[in-house]
Amino acid sequence: NSSIGSSESKIVGYSRLGDGTLATHKELVNGEASIYYRTGTYNTEYNEDGSLEKVMSYFPIKAGTIGEAMISKYANANLSGDKLYLSRNGVFGIVLSSNISSTERYSKERSQYIKSKLIKHTNLENAVAISYRNRYYLAVDDVCYVADARITSQNTSDTDSFNYEWYYWDNMPVRVWCIIDDNLYFGTEDGRICTFDGKYVDRIHEKTEDGDLYLEYD
């Protein structure tokens, strides 16, 4: 067993980084790190005759310095290599320090253009997101914010500091996302299953087969 940070703050979610590191996000508590990193390493030991004796695996935990704490455990996703998560102050990406001698990581804002609207939601802890075909879909309170990885803008020389162009969709009662047969689906709070298939119509499918019970309805 091992502990990750203080027991005063709970784990909110996880992100798998590009080098195999597991990032553990914890709720924000004053004076404590909000993210911890765990990367596996191996130690090989040999006998005096040079034969292999044993291989030991270790998974050390390192506290990070990212101050933006994850608020929803359902909203982190990998958008074309950008590890995104949602905080109370918007959508952020986890990036490695540009200093090649450092392994420190930082949070970079990705939602500048929709931040003022996004952070007004009081239900962000229940927001849900998914990455699909170079887009990040973030749904909360029956609306959806969509970041397009193919359209970004950059105002500084820092290559890690860029923002996505966002779409804003209303009438999106998303409770859970799913990808089935390379098509994007979402489920609603009242049990409906919806998909985007290019037909742009609302419809109900009914399937019957030989041997099914006979039903008569209006």
Side-chain angles (χ1 to χ4, degrees):
N1 296 331
S2 63
S3 298
I4 300 179
S6 169
S7 60
E8 298 298 321
S9 59
K10 65 182 179 181
I11 295 174
V12 181
Y14 301 91
S15 297
R16 182 181 178 183
L17 307 184
D19 60 354
T21 297
L22 178 66
T24 302
H25 299 264
K26 302 194 70 178
E27 64 180 354
L28 186 61
V29 174
N30 291 335
E32 296 186 14
S34 62
I35 190 168
Y36 292 81
Y37 304 109
R38 172 174 279 180
T39 303
T41 60
Y42 296 92
N43 182 33
T44 304
E45 297 183 8
Y46 296 90
N47 295 317
E48 294 181 357
D49 59 2
S51 61
L52 178 64
E53 179 179 1
K54 61 181 177 180
V55 177
M56 299 292 294
S57 58
Y58 301 91
F59 299 90
I61 300 172
K62 177 183 177 183
T65 59
I66 292 180
E68 291 295 337
M70 178 184 289
I71 191 172
S72 172
K73 60 183 177 181
Y74 308 111
N76 55 320
N78 181 356
L79 179 60
S80 301
D82 196 12
K83 315 300 182 180
L84 301 179
Y85 70 97
L86 178 65
S87 84
R88 174 60 65 187
N89 296 311
V91 178
F92 288 79
I94 302 175
V95 300
L96 187 65
S97 171
S98 58
N99 185 345
I100 60 175
S101 63
S102 172
T103 60
E104 187 56 75
R105 290 175 167 86
Y106 301 93
S107 60
K108 298 290 186 177
E109 186 181 3
R110 304 299 193 218
S111 56
Q112 178 182 353
Y113 300 127
I114 47 95
K115 176 181 177 179
S116 60
K117 193 175 188 68
L118 177 62
I119 63 176
K120 290 180 180 178
H121 292 278
T122 59
N123 194 33
L124 288 178
E125 65 273 10
N126 292 318
V128 293
I130 195 171
S131 180
Y132 173 72
R133 293 188 178 179
N134 293 319
R135 288 180 177 177
Y136 171 78
Y137 296 80
L138 174 65
V140 59
D141 295 333
D142 293 343
V143 299
C144 183
Y145 300 85
V146 186
D148 195 329
R150 298 164 296 184
I151 309 175
T152 62
S153 61
Q154 186 175 345
N155 296 325
T156 70
S157 59
D158 183 359
T159 58
D160 293 326
S161 296
F162 62 88
N163 271 269
Y164 297 109
E165 294 292 333
W166 291 80
Y167 303 94
Y168 177 79
W169 296 346
D170 57 9
N171 191 28
M172 291 288 295
V174 182
R175 185 64 189 90
V176 61
W177 293 103
C178 184
I179 298 175
I180 303 175
D181 296 331
D182 199 34
N183 291 318
L184 182 61
Y185 288 76
F186 67 85
T188 67
E189 192 72 43
D190 58 1
R192 288 174 292 157
I193 299 176
C194 308
T195 187
F196 304 92
D197 60 4
K199 295 183 180 180
Y200 304 102
V201 293
D202 294 329
R203 60 196 182 278
I204 297 176
H205 285 287
E206 296 182 5
K207 181 179 180 182
T208 59
E209 298 178 355
D210 292 341
D212 287 350
L213 293 176
Y214 174 76
L215 298 176
E216 183 174 337
Y217 61 93
D218 294 329

